[in-house]
Structures are given as structure tokens and as C-alpha cells.
């Protein structure tokens, strides 16, 4: 009986290992993986030179690792087991907090100060910003450094358990504290975002995304345009929220982290508030704008606030 069980186990192992290769050309349907994933490589050509220098073997190994049947299903199964059994996301930089709140490792480091760059680099950057602002103001313009709080800063209660709390200096605090001394224009959105969290049931970040929501983008642009208007002495466009629509059909940008995790089964649905927006540009100036930004600014384009608030 023991021998029969051993033989059956051996057969199952061989079938499990050999089936993906045997079924590679069967044309089985597979759902593509999301995020930055390795693309399937072409079959390497067998040449004498490639064999001798090892490039054929390396290419064949990569090809064998990527080009087999059911690969995407097996990848999803692997990350699904890690997520469901151990609460760990097998995706680059993703940390799972309470209530399936998906955090980014770099954003958590910004919250607790683990990415502290040092005071001297902050001073140098603020001095450069002050020089740029002075040059622009001589031409009737203005510069503005906008500091956007991360998910971890807005919802520190939802960082993964065991995460070290804030200790020592943080980059955001240094920029805000040293900006007046350097004469550099800095707008920190953190107080406004924290105040919104205390007064509104509608969050500015999605549990399943890394970027601010459309509501966060609107709130941020209201503050940016108001500050630029103050600095230039001109009336700029005003962004108004005429209402919100709460739905569980969330935008792709609000689930970008969840999609990139490549789970086998979807996460539970969440409901987010999407603003109905009106841009009042009557009698206002629509200046040209040059924005050096991270991917949060794409929400401003998608709404599209940038096209209506700026001329170029």
C-alpha cells in the first residue's frame, strides 16, 4: 500500500512539472499579468558561438521560465496563496495594512522618516528653488513647490502592524520648516488633507491605489491655484465641486496597486466618491504652466483640470 502511494505521488509530481511544458502550444486562454512583468522572450538561436559563450543557455533558461502553458495562472496562484495565507503581497514595494489597505513601502518610509535625506540637501534644493522663483517673478511668473502627503501620512492607522512609528526628522517637515528661511515658495497640502479626513466621510486615497483620488486632485488643485493667485496677484480659475457620486465601480487609477498584485481572485469591492467638477475661469487669467511632477498629476489631466485652468 505504501509503495502504491509513493508511486502515485511520484506520478503526480511528474505530471505537475511536465504539464505546463507539454501544454505550451495548446492555445489555452490566459489572463495577461498586470504591472511591470517580464515579457516572454523569443526562442534563442542555437549557434556554435552562442553555445560556447553561454548566451544560448541563458536565453533558453529565460525562455523556459517564461514560455510555458498556464504561466499566468500559476503566477496568480502563487501570489494568491502568499496573500491569503500570510497577508503578504508579492508585488514590488507593496505592504498590506489593516482592512486590506495597500501601502507603498516608499510612502511608509516618508511617513516615519526612514528615507530622511539630511538637512543640507534640503537647504540646497530650497536655495535653488528660491533662485528659480526670483527669476520667474522678474518675468511676471512664480514658482511653487507642492508637497503632497502620502497614504501613510493621511491614514497612519492603516500602515502594516509592526511598522516603526515616526522618529527623528522627516523630509516634509524639513522642507516646510526651512522654506521661509530660504525664501522658497512651498505649499504643504498635508494640513488640508488631514482636516478633510476629520470632516468628511469621503477619503482622498483608495485602499487599492497608490495615488490620490479624483477628489484629492480637486482639493489639491484648489489649494494650488489659490496660492498661485496670491503669489502673482492675479485672479486664476476656481475649481468647484458641485456634488459627488459614490460608487463601487472605481476608476483604474484607484485600483492600480491591486491590479499589479496579480491575484487569482478579486479583492472585495470598495466604494469611493467621485466629484462633479466645474471650473470657473470667467474673468480669470489662464497662465502657462510647466509642471515637474510624479504620476499623481495624471489625475489633474484626466479630470481635465489642467486644460481648463491653464492656457498651455
Amino acid at each position: 500500500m505504501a509503495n502504491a502511494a509513493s508511486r502515485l505521488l511520484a506520478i503526480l509530481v511528474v505530471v505537475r512539472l511536465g504539464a505546463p511544458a507539454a501544454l505550451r502550444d495548446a492555445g489555452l486562454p490566459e489572463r495577461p499579468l498586470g504591472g511591470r512583468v517580464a515579457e516572454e522572450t523569443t526562442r534563442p538561436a542555437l549557434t556554435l558561438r552562442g553555445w560556447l559563450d553561454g548566451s544560448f543557455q541563458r536565453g533558453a533558461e529565460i525562455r523556459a521560465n517564461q514560455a510555458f502553458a498556464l504561466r499566468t495562472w500559476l503566477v496568480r496562484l502563487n501570489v494568491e496563496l502568499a496573500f491569503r495565507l500570510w497577508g503578504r503581497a508579492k508585488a514590488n514595494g507593496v505592504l498590506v495594512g489593516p482592512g486590506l489597505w495597500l501601502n507603498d513601502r516608499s510612502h511608509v518610509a516618508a511617513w516615519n522618516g526612514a528615507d530622511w535625506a539630511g538637512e543640507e540637501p534640503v537647504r540646497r534644493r530650497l536655495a535653488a528653488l528660491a533662485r528659480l522663483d526670483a527669476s520667474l517673478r522678474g518675468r511676471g511668473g512664480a514658482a511653487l513647490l507642492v508637497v503632497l502627503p502620502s497614504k501613510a501620512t493621511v491614514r497612519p492607522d492603516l500602515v502594516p502592524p509592526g511598522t516603526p512609528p515616526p522618529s527623528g526628522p522627516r523630509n516634509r517637515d524639513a522642507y516646510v520648516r526651512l522654506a521661509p528661511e530660504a525664501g522658497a515658495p512651498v505649499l504643504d497640502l498635508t494640513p488640508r488633507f488631514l482636516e478633510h479626513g476629520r470632516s468628511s466621510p469621503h477619503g482622498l486615497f483608495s485602499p487599492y491605489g497608490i495615488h490620490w483620488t479624483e477628489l484629492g486632485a480637486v482639493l489639491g488643485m484648489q489649494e494650488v491655484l489659490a496660492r498661485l493667485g496670491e503669489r502673482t496677484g492675479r485672479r486664476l480659475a476656481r475649481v468647484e465641486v458641485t456634488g459627488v457620486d459614490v460608487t463601487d465601480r472605481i476608476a483604474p487609477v484607484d485600483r492600480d496597486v491591486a491590479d499589479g498584485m496579480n491575484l487569482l481572485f478579486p479583492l472585495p469591492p470598495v466604494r469611493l466618491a467621485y466629484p462633479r467638477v466645474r471650473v470657473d475661469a470667467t474673468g480669470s487669467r489662464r497662465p502657462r504652466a510647466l509642471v515637474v511632477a510624479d504620476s499623481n498629476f495624471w489625475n489633474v489631466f484626466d479630470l481635465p483640470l489642467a486644460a481648463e485652468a491653464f492656457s498651455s
Side-chain angles (χ1 to χ4, degrees):
M1 187 70 172
N3 289 339
S6 298
R7 285 195 294 270
L8 178 60
L9 180 60
I11 292 173
L12 290 175
V13 170
V14 171
V15 170
R16 166 65 184 81
L17 294 175
L23 297 173
R24 184 175 61 192
D25 299 321
L28 299 175
E30 295 194 49
R31 185 157 49 109
L33 298 173
R36 289 188 60 184
V37 295
E39 298 292 335
E40 184 175 317
T41 59
T42 58
R43 188 187 305 275
L46 177 58
T47 62
L48 179 61
R49 180 177 179 178
W51 180 268
L52 294 178
D53 65 15
S55 60
F56 170 79
Q57 291 89 331
R58 289 191 295 273
E61 180 182 2
I62 294 174
R63 167 78 177 177
N65 186 51
Q66 296 178 6
F68 56 85
L70 308 178
R71 173 176 177 262
T72 62
W73 289 101
L74 294 175
V75 169
R76 292 182 188 277
L77 176 61
N78 183 40
V79 299
E80 184 77 28
L81 291 174
F83 180 70
R84 303 295 180 183
L85 297 180
W86 294 285
R88 189 173 76 251
K90 301 192 72 171
N92 187 33
V94 178
L95 302 174
V96 183
L100 300 183
W101 186 265
L102 305 180
N103 295 274
D104 182 87
R105 189 182 305 276
S106 64
H107 290 190
V108 173
W111 162 70
N112 64 12
D115 66 347
W116 168 238
E119 190 165 297
E120 189 55 35
V122 174
R123 289 183 182 275
R124 288 199 303 268
R125 292 165 185 159
L126 287 173
L129 175 63
R131 293 193 298 270
L132 172 64
D133 180 55
S135 177
L136 289 173
R137 289 179 74 80
R139 295 167 170 80
L144 184 64
L145 172 63
V146 181
V147 180
L148 170 65
S150 69
K151 287 176 67 173
T153 301
V154 174
R155 293 299 306 269
D157 55 314
L158 295 178
V159 300
T163 301
S167 61
R170 293 184 290 184
N171 294 316
R172 178 182 66 82
D173 299 334
Y175 276 100
V176 175
R177 174 173 54 86
L178 297 173
E181 174 187 321
V186 173
L187 170 61
D188 182 15
L189 294 177
T190 306
R192 183 69 180 87
F193 273 44
L194 295 180
E195 190 278 329
H196 175 90
R198 292 188 292 266
S199 61
S200 173
H202 306 309
L204 302 178
F205 289 90
S206 164
Y208 301 157
I210 193 175
H211 303 92
W212 55 8
T213 61
E214 289 186 3
L215 193 59
V218 169
L219 188 151
M221 286 303 293
Q222 286 175 333
E223 298 290 314
V224 168
L225 290 169
R227 180 64 61 87
L228 287 175
E230 293 173 4
R231 302 204 69 241
T232 59
R234 295 186 175 93
R235 184 181 188 277
L236 303 184
R238 292 186 304 110
V239 182
E240 302 174 355
V241 177
T242 61
V244 295
D245 298 312
V246 180
T247 177
D248 59 3
R249 301 184 63 179
I250 64 176
V253 69
D254 294 326
R255 60 171 195 267
D256 52 5
V257 177
D259 288 345
M261 289 172 63
N262 291 305
L263 295 169
L264 196 60
F265 302 104
L267 294 174
V270 295
R271 295 176 65 81
L272 295 177
Y274 290 90
R276 297 190 294 274
V277 179
R278 186 175 78 90
V279 178
D280 180 12
T282 306
S284 63
R285 186 168 184 265
R286 297 175 64 240
R288 292 179 298 166
L290 174 63
V291 182
V292 182
D294 62 10
S295 50
N296 279 282
F297 203 75
W298 284 115
N299 293 61
V300 181
F301 283 117
D302 293 341
L303 276 170
L305 299 179
E308 298 188 37
F310 303 109
S311 63
S312 171

